[in-house]
Amino acid sequence: MREITTDDIYSVLSELLPKQNDYAPCNYKEEKRELIHFGIDTREKFYELIQRHREELLEEDADVLDETEIILLTAEYGKEFMADKIKNNYWYAYPALLRNALHLEFGDKYETYADKRDGIA
C-alpha cells in the first residue's frame, strides 16, 4: 500500500463526514505529518480511524453551545459566519474533526503531541 496523501485525507473526510463541515480551506500537510507520526500512514488506516470514531465526532460536533459561547464565537468570527452553524448546530471543520479523531484514538499521547506542536508544553 502506498503512503497516505493530502488528497486521500480530504477524500476520506468528504466521504465520511457532512459537507457542511467542509468550510475551512486546508492543504492537510500538517495533518498528514500528524497522522503518519501516529502510524496512520495509508488511506485505508485513515478511513478506518474516521469510520471508527465517526458517530462520536458527529455527536460532539452537534453539541449545543451555550449562550456565552455563541456570543464569544459570533464576536470573533462574525454573525454571518456563525449564522448557519447556529441554525444547523454544527461547529467543527474537517481539520478539527480529524484532530478530534486522533484525540479519541490516542488520548493523552495525542494531547501531549498537540501541546508540543502548539508550543504549550
Side-chain angles (χ1 to χ4, degrees), residues 44-92:
E44 292 75 17
K45 288 179 183 178
F46 181 55
Y47 186 96
E48 291 168 5
L49 172 77
I50 298 300
Q51 178 93 6
R52 183 169 39 258
H53 295 292
R54 183 179 186 276
E55 188 175 319
E56 191 170 356
L57 291 170
L58 295 178
E59 284 176 14
E60 183 180 321
D61 185 49
D63 278 350
V64 177
L65 297 180
D66 66 39
E67 195 61 36
T68 302
E69 291 171 312
I70 291 173
I71 290 168
L72 291 172
L73 290 169
T74 300
E76 184 172 345
Y77 295 107
K79 189 174 185 175
E80 185 177 321
F81 180 80
M82 290 300 294
D84 189 59
K85 288 163 192 53
I86 292 167
K87 178 182 174 191
N88 294 303
N89 207 39
Y90 69 96
W91 313 109
Y92 298 112

